[in-house]
Amino acid sequence: MTFGMLPLDVEVPDAPSGQRTGRPLRAPPRTIARWPFVLVVAATVAAGPIGLVVSGAVVGALLVLRLRLIVADPDLPDLVTVPWRRGRPAQVLPGFTRTVGSVEWGLTSAYDFDAALRPRLARVAAVGLLERHGVDLHADRSAAARLLGPEAWAWLDPERRDAPDRSTPGPDRATLARVLDAIEGTLTERP
């Protein structure tokens, strides 16, 4: 269907005698297509302002696709092609992911702190106290409390009762930072 236009490669007679000259008849190029205007007017008449908006969006999308097809010429030699490959995602250590999760949950409630974060922190503190100071966290509680400090010991005491539910607030970030500093102090200091 050509809508009144001849195809580009049709030969038409040149002379009145009906002989063909072999020259193809080319239609003059149109710079603006008519179909978008027809679509917008028809939709506006049929559906009013909503038809105008919908048809405008459809026409815009179709024109963008048409321009992409016109511009996307695969035979352009001066364009540099860069091979794109999807790399494998970086492997995340599962222990690190669990630790980050336990820290985030431990900040929300004392129950989550007691269930996930306190055992990890207590293990690190126990290793630091035993290796650096010769103090067993569970056997010599008074020396461990003295080395860790009162605030850190209040959160890391192995005989501390677990919070009964999640309504009890956990340590805030500043308190957790001070507890971590106390544990780090046991790892670095020597008596």
Side-chain angles (χ1 to χ4, degrees):
M1 181 180 278
T2 61
F3 295 105
M5 310 252 341
L6 292 175
L8 295 177
D9 58 351
V10 171
E11 295 180 13
V12 294
D14 222 13
S17 65
Q19 295 177 347
R20 296 186 184 262
T21 61
R23 288 184 329 193
L25 176 67
R26 297 214 176 247
R30 278 187 307 192
T31 56
I32 300 175
R34 285 178 242 158
W35 65 266
F37 298 112
V38 173
L39 179 65
V40 169
V41 169
T44 304
V45 169
I50 294 176
L52 176 66
V53 170
V54 171
S55 65
V58 169
V59 166
L62 291 174
L63 287 176
V64 166
L65 288 174
R66 175 143 173 98
L67 288 174
R68 289 197 60 171
L69 288 175
I70 290 171
V71 173
D73 186 10
D75 297 330
L76 293 176
D78 53 334
L79 290 179
V80 178
T81 58
V82 178
W84 182 81
R85 293 186 187 139
R86 176 181 289 178
R88 290 195 292 177
Q91 297 294 324
V92 177
L93 300 172
F96 176 74
T97 305
R98 279 192 300 274
T99 302
V100 169
S102 64
V103 168
E104 291 299 320
W105 280 104
L107 291 172
T108 60
S109 73
Y111 177 83
D112 292 311
F113 178 83
D114 291 336
L117 189 56
R118 186 175 71 169
R120 290 173 184 267
L121 295 177
R123 278 194 301 268
V124 173
V127 168
L129 289 170
L130 191 59
E131 287 182 357
R132 298 288 183 171
H133 304 282
V135 174
D136 186 4
L137 179 72
H138 300 283
D140 193 4
R141 296 182 58 237
S142 61
R146 187 183 76 253
L147 289 170
L148 285 172
E151 184 178 32
W153 182 252
W155 286 103
L156 298 176
D157 184 3
E159 293 184 8
R160 178 177 178 253
R161 301 188 87 182
D162 291 344
D165 59 9
R166 287 194 164 108
S167 64
T168 308
D172 59 353
R173 290 187 186 274
T175 303
L176 185 59
R178 289 191 298 272
V179 170
L180 290 173
D181 287 341
I183 293 172
E184 187 176 332
T186 63
L187 295 173
T188 58
E189 296 175 4
R190 281 224 175 247

